[in-house]
Amino acid sequence: MLKIAIYGKGGIGKSTTAANLSAALSDSGLQVMQIGCDPKSDSTSLLMEGQEVPTVLDILRESPDALTLERVVHESRSGVLCVEAGGPTPGIGCAGRGIITAFEKLEELHAYEIYRPDVVIYDVLGDVVCGGFAMPLRRKYADCVFIVTSGEKMSLFAASNIAKALDQFKARNYARLGGLILNRRNVKNEVELVQAAAEKMGTRITADIPRCDIVQTAEELNATVVEAFPGSDMAQVYRKLAQTVLKECSCACGEEN
């Protein structure tokens, strides 16, 4: 089971990238589970045709005894197993704690043993890397971390913080940084800016996703590009991303062994 954490600043296209990655991996014949770790609980929206799924925290607030795998794991039309950790009541509690609780409950319910996914993708907000938001950085949960970024200043700032967290705790059995996923915003000299930032982080650009209107068109249809426009060039971009991510994670596992 390969475990992949996708981080990125809010609004950078992280969840769209993660959903298309999951759809592409599923399309290749793998069993994929995507776990949304953003308090907005919209990570799996494109996979679930715009439908909101009950979150782990919502069900726990309703009744701890009501928490079952059938209620928190939902299969998308493309076969992806979708889970949303959820967030606290606005103004109360810690969003990071929600991630920790969700992980603990999935383990208690033996989700991974029962569904036996080939790949688990954690979609994590990257504006903060403290508390629960750093949980998927740990080797127990992720083999590789990929950071979605553009050439925009704040996006690169968030990416740098995540890379620093991984570097600081690399001796504590944390995951390996697989690289940056450039999700273009057509910023001036964007590739050069991200390449320079990647070098400072000690990594590289592992995938380059061009800006394309078809992504927004698919979102309006509540679908991933891979599902809505399977024959498009952008669908092929996401399929290539899927193969690149698998290769990087396989290399990471090989290094560990």
Side-chain angles (χ1 to χ4, degrees), residues 6 35 78 113 140 167 177 248:
I6 306 292
I35 303 176
S78 59
E113 292 87 349
K140 176 182 178 182
D167 186 61
L177 179 57
E248 289 291 336

Side-chain angles (χ1 to χ4, degrees), residues 31-191:
Q31 177 68 79
V32 182
M33 176 179 284
Q34 180 167 321
I35 303 176
C37 302
D38 190 318
K40 297 195 302 298
S41 308
D42 60 353
S43 171
T44 61
S45 177
L46 294 180
L47 293 165
M48 293 299 298
E49 302 177 68
Q51 174 188 348
E52 291 186 13
V53 301
T55 73
V56 174
L57 288 190
D58 283 344
I59 296 172
L60 284 175
R61 279 192 288 266
E62 174 190 318
S63 170
D65 294 334
L67 188 70
T68 63
L69 285 180
E70 290 75 18
R71 293 203 65 189
V72 296
V73 181
H74 302 268
E75 185 172 349
S76 76
R77 58 190 163 191
S78 59
V80 177
L81 302 169
C82 299
V83 180
E84 292 285 354
T89 302
I92 303 174
C94 171
R97 182 61 200 170
I99 297 173
I100 297 172
T101 300
F103 284 12
E104 290 174 347
K105 293 303 178 182
L106 286 172
E107 289 177 349
E108 287 176 17
L109 294 169
H110 306 288
Y112 307 113
E113 292 87 349
I114 291 172
Y115 289 105
R116 300 181 64 83
D118 299 302
V119 182
V120 176
I121 293 178
Y122 303 100
D123 175 11
V124 195
L125 186 65
D127 296 77
V128 288
V129 286
C130 59
F133 292 100
M135 283 290 284
L137 296 177
R138 300 182 182 182
R139 190 67 176 80
K140 176 182 178 182
Y141 294 108
D143 301 303
C144 270
V145 173
F146 293 88
I147 307 172
V148 180
T149 186
S150 68
E152 296 165 308
K153 183 176 181 180
M154 294 310 296
S155 177
L156 288 171
F157 181 76
S160 178
N161 280 341
I162 297 162
K164 286 177 182 176
L166 280 169
D167 186 61
Q168 182 175 358
F169 296 110
K170 61 184 178 183
R172 299 187 186 181
N173 208 26
Y174 271 43
R176 171 181 174 271
L177 179 57
L180 304 184
I181 298 174
L182 170 55
N183 194 36
R184 294 203 191 201
R185 292 296 181 89
N186 292 341
V187 175
K188 184 179 180 181
N189 300 322
E190 190 161 28
V191 175

